[in-house]
């Protein structure tokens, strides 16, 4: 009589368990270990035709795992690239797209050159410095004077937003003179900047409960004895 079931030794089962720490690292973990094993098996197939069929089958499985990407341009190209990457570039099959190389995959982008500006008065920000540089290029006239006045008021507002103490206009004019390399001089000017309260004033939100002026208020008809008085609701017991 053939033994249908063979009892296994418990110690052997525990000894043969696979732990993730002992398994091979997944190159693309999103596809899971079962697909990684399929690719490993396809890599060691000796017959070229069978190996190509296995690669196409794996591509179909990878596409079914990502149905939301089927409408993406070059989706198949991406799948083939991932197939070669997961095989550690050991899979020798015919690909309808250029086969990627390990060197291209390991290329790193160039380091971005971030602007490093360390202004003396950081509470003004870099935009103020840009505005001052633009104002220095303008010709003298009413437009330049108006721009300089706008810059000075914005500098005062920025100063007050970071410093709770009040500031005199002379201090703003000195900073403007310094930041403009002495090209904008308002130290002897009689111009006056906006008040602190005007610069830091916040817009009050109009509540829905407050009726705007000029709009009539809607009065309730609760105490109104006129013909427009609303009748109370009465239940009709005769209604079926």
């Amino acid at each position: 009589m053939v033994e249908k079931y063979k009892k296994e030794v418990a110690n052997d089962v525990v000894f043969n368990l696979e732990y993730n720490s002992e398994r091979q690292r997944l190159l693309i973990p999103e596809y899971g270990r079962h697909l990684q094993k399929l690719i490993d098996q396809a890599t060691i197939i000796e017959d070229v035709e069978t190996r190509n069929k296995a690669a196409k089958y794996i591509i179909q499985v990878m596409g079914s795992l990502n149905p939301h990407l089927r409408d993406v341009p070059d989706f198949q190209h991406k799948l083939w690239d991932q197939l070669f990457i997961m095989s550690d570039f050991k899979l020798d099959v015919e690909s309808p797209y250029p086969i990627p190389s390990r060197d291209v995959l390991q290329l790193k982008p160039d380091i971005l050159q971030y602007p490093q500006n360390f202004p003396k008065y950081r509470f003004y920000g870099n935009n103020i410095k840009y505005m001052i540089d633009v104002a220095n290029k303008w010709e003298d006239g009413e437009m330049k004077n108006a721009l300089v006045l706008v810059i000075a008021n914005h500098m005062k507002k920025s100063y007050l937003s970071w410093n709770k103490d009040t500031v005199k206009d002379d201090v703003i004019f000195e900073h403007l003179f310094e930041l403009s390399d002495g090209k904008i001089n308002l130290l002897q000017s009689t111009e006056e900047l906006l008040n602190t309260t005007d610069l830091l004033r916040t817009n009050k939100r109009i509540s829905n409960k407050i009726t705007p002026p000029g709009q009539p208020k809607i009065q309730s008809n609760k105490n109104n004895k006129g013909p427009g008085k609303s009748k109370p609701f009465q239940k009709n017991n005769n209604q079926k």
Side-chain angles (χ1 to χ4, degrees), residues 165-184:
D165 299 335
T166 58
V167 59
K168 295 182 179 180
D169 295 347
D170 297 340
V171 177
I172 301 298
F173 293 156
E174 290 178 1
H175 293 171
L176 181 59
F177 180 79
E178 183 177 357
L179 293 176
S180 64
D181 297 330
K183 296 180 181 180
I184 300 177

Side-chain angles (χ1 to χ4, degrees), residues 40-236:
D40 295 340
Q41 293 177 3
T43 305
I44 60 177
I45 296 176
E46 296 181 356
D47 185 37
V48 178
E49 185 178 356
T50 307
R51 189 167 59 245
N52 288 326
K53 290 181 179 181
K56 294 179 180 179
Y57 170 75
I58 294 174
I59 290 296
Q60 293 178 0
V61 176
M62 294 172 65
S64 63
L65 294 176
N66 298 293
H68 60 285
L69 296 177
R70 294 192 177 185
D71 296 334
V72 177
D74 297 336
F75 175 60
Q76 291 291 327
H77 192 180
K78 180 179 179 180
L79 293 181
W80 280 97
D81 290 346
Q82 292 177 345
L83 175 63
F84 289 109
I85 293 173
M86 294 177 67
S87 66
D88 198 17
F89 303 96
K90 297 178 181 179
L91 184 62
D92 185 12
V93 294
E94 296 178 359
S95 173
Y97 304 97
I99 300 177
S101 61
R102 192 187 304 272
D103 297 336
V104 176
L105 185 63
Q106 294 178 352
L107 287 177
K108 295 182 179 180
D110 298 334
I111 299 175
L112 294 177
Q113 300 295 332
Y114 289 98
Q116 300 293 334
N117 295 328
F118 302 98
K120 183 177 181 180
Y121 305 106
R122 295 192 176 184
F123 46 84
Y124 290 136
N126 292 325
N127 291 332
I128 287 292
K129 180 59 178 175
Y130 297 150
M131 294 171 65
I132 292 174
D133 294 339
V134 172
N136 289 333
K137 298 178 182 179
W138 285 18
E139 297 180 357
D140 295 338
E142 295 182 358
M143 295 293 294
K144 181 177 181 179
N145 295 335
L147 177 60
V148 170
L149 190 60
V150 170
I151 294 173
N153 283 312
H154 193 70
M155 290 174 63
K156 186 174 182 179
K157 183 177 180 180
S158 300
Y159 187 99
L160 294 172
S161 62
W162 289 96
N163 302 277
K164 296 183 179 180
D165 299 335
T166 58
V167 59
K168 295 182 179 180
D169 295 347
D170 297 340
V171 177
I172 301 298
F173 293 156
E174 290 178 1
H175 293 171
L176 181 59
F177 180 79
E178 183 177 357
L179 293 176
S180 64
D181 297 330
K183 296 180 181 180
I184 300 177
N185 188 359
L186 297 179
L187 299 176
Q188 305 299 330
S189 176
T190 58
E191 292 286 349
E192 294 183 0
L193 302 179
L194 297 176
N195 297 328
T196 302
T197 55
D198 295 336
L199 290 173
L200 300 180
R201 179 182 300 170
T202 56
N203 297 327
K204 297 182 179 180
R205 296 182 179 178
I206 300 177
S207 176
N208 293 331
K209 298 181 180 180
I210 302 176
T211 304
Q215 181 176 353
K217 295 183 179 180
I218 301 176
Q219 298 180 355
S220 176
N221 293 328
K222 184 177 181 180
N223 298 326
N224 188 7
K225 298 181 180 180
K229 181 179 178 181
S230 59
K231 296 181 180 181
F233 174 77
Q234 296 180 354
K235 184 177 180 180
N236 188 2

Side-chain angles (χ1 to χ4, degrees), residues 3-18:
E3 186 179 2
K4 187 174 182 181
Y5 298 103
K6 182 179 180 181
K7 187 177 180 180
E8 297 181 353
V9 182
N11 293 332
D12 295 341
V13 175
V14 175
F15 182 77
N16 294 325
L17 286 176
E18 292 184 358

